[in-house]
Amino acid sequence: MSYEVHDQLRVTVLNVTKVQYKSRIIFDYVQSCYTVSYIQKGEVITTLEDKEFVAKTGDVMIHRPHKPFNVISQTDGVHYLFNVDIKVKGEQDFFDVFPLGKVVKVRDPGLYEKKFDELRSLWLQEDDDFRTVQTGFLAFFLMHEILESTKLGERRSSRDPIITDRFNNALHYIENGLEEDISREELAQIYHMNPVYFSRAFQKIYGITPMKMLKKMRLQKARQMLENTEHTIDHIAQQSGHYDAAHFSRAFQKAFGQSPTDYRKSIKTTRRSIVPTWFDYQI
């Protein structure tokens, strides 16, 4: 049994480079081909279609063509990347035939780095037919390594490690400054992110926008103050970040179905109706 290789595989390498940086922030970057970026050092947050993923040393990020992506890193890093177009079985896209995740853990980083260095060395040489064939084989070898790395079990599969606590710092920032005039742009700046993208990504995780989360946390703080303090409505409105008592009362009524004053009265009535037992006084 035999077959012609050119009928089964066509590899076009468009660029091979190493990128070293102190920090890296790229917003809405679009390529016309696949970008395969191996992290030799560092850790980044990368995005695709409103989803966020973490990629660490020894991981490969695969960025699809014609789809905007972000890359954010606040640490030193080194990336080995190449741009490639691979067709198999005629004109089928390699990544359609062998779908891979956004982030893949490489099974043998030492081997991957060695073969990438060979590819980079060839890429820097003068162009000739022999060089073209070699670069194609090496690029496909690297893709084969990535493909095989997805078969090492669930821990190292191509299933993407979606971040679920990405915006904890933003939540803490809101919580510690509820009485301040916090904006979406201010929260996005914590992560060096575009405000529009930040809002979409935040909502993807928590189900509401950052500004609605701010409003919700303000009302929660106000409700706790109504339950546990004797402060005036004006004071509570100020401490929970509302413009004034009237604005606060309208927002509270809409959220909880009672005015702040009625809610406080209902809490006091409920507490008076509770008969303490001997166990309530144990320390």
Side-chain angles (χ1 to χ4, degrees):
M1 180 179 181
S2 64
Y3 60 88
E4 295 184 19
V5 174
H6 71 266
D7 286 340
Q8 298 294 320
L9 172 67
R10 188 175 78 247
V11 181
T12 305
V13 181
L14 303 169
N15 187 35
V16 183
T17 188
K18 291 184 180 181
V19 177
Q20 185 172 359
Y21 55 86
K22 292 294 184 182
S23 63
R24 201 174 200 205
I25 301 174
I26 300 174
F27 288 128
D28 296 330
Y29 191 68
V30 180
Q31 290 272 57
S32 60
C33 56
Y34 284 93
T35 301
V36 182
S37 181
Y38 169 82
I39 303 177
Q40 195 270 339
K41 175 186 176 183
E43 178 176 330
V44 305
I45 303 298
T46 185
T47 64
L48 175 67
E49 297 176 345
D50 296 334
K51 294 182 180 179
E52 294 198 337
F53 312 96
V54 61
K56 302 179 180 181
T57 299
D59 290 344
V60 164
M61 299 180 294
I62 302 174
H63 302 298
R64 275 65 175 174
H66 311 298
K67 291 184 179 293
F69 64 88
N70 299 349
V71 174
I72 303 170
S73 176
Q74 299 180 8
T75 62
D76 294 353
V78 178
H79 289 195
Y80 294 0
L81 62 89
F82 62 97
N83 300 107
V84 66
D85 179 64
I86 305 179
K87 294 294 190 295
V88 295
K89 299 181 180 179
E91 289 299 317
Q92 293 187 57
D93 192 306
F94 173 88
F95 295 91
D96 290 337
V97 179
F98 304 105
L100 299 173
K102 174 70 172 176
V103 178
V104 177
K105 184 70 175 177
V106 173
R107 62 176 181 172
D108 190 340
L111 176 62
Y112 188 96
E113 293 175 21
K114 177 183 177 181
K115 292 300 181 182
F116 181 91
D117 285 337
E118 292 179 20
L119 175 62
R120 176 64 175 162
S121 178
L122 281 169
W123 182 257
L124 295 174
Q125 295 177 16
E126 292 185 7
D127 196 6
D128 60 50
D129 291 340
F130 186 65
R131 166 187 172 273
T132 301
V133 172
Q134 285 183 298
T135 55
F137 281 147
L138 283 170
F140 194 74
F141 176 88
L142 293 176
M143 292 309 308
H144 176 265
E145 281 299 296
I146 295 170
L147 183 62
E148 289 299 304
S149 294
T150 67
K151 302 177 181 179
L152 297 182
E154 183 174 337
R155 187 176 67 86
R156 289 191 173 186
S157 73
S158 62
R159 298 200 308 174
D160 296 317
I162 300 176
I163 299 172
T164 57
D165 58 353
R166 169 74 166 101
F167 299 115
N168 274 351
N169 288 341
L171 295 178
H172 290 310
Y173 188 88
I174 293 172
E175 187 176 17
N176 294 328
L178 290 174
E179 70 280 6
E180 305 294 334
D181 186 17
I182 299 175
S183 67
R184 181 184 67 173
E185 288 70 21
E186 188 176 349
L187 294 173
Q189 184 58 38
I190 296 174
Y191 301 92
H192 304 282
M193 295 174 69
N194 176 282
V196 174
Y197 171 74
F198 166 75
S199 184
R200 291 202 306 263
F202 187 98
Q203 186 171 6
K204 192 75 173 180
I205 294 175
Y206 298 108
I208 57 176
T209 66
M211 292 298 96
K212 286 186 178 180
M213 178 65 80
L214 172 61
K215 180 179 178 181
K216 180 178 180 179
M217 293 177 70
R218 282 173 170 166
L219 287 171
Q220 288 175 341
K221 179 179 180 179
R223 185 167 65 172
Q224 291 173 353
M225 293 183 70
L226 287 168
E227 294 174 357
N228 300 308
T229 75
E230 294 298 326
H231 292 307
T232 65
I233 301 300
D234 283 334
H235 180 82
I236 292 174
Q238 181 182 5
Q239 290 299 305
S240 59
H242 293 87
Y243 299 123
D244 51 40
H247 175 267
F248 165 56
S249 295
R250 288 194 298 270
F252 194 93
Q253 176 81 39
K254 183 177 180 180
F256 302 112
Q258 289 180 293
S259 69
T261 301
D262 289 341
Y263 180 78
R264 173 175 271 173
K265 288 178 180 178
S266 69
I267 291 298
K268 290 181 177 180
T269 300
T270 300
R271 286 176 176 171
R272 283 197 298 268
S273 67
I274 298 175
V275 179
T277 67
W278 179 81
F279 295 102
D280 294 323
Y281 297 100
Q282 300 306 297
I283 298 177

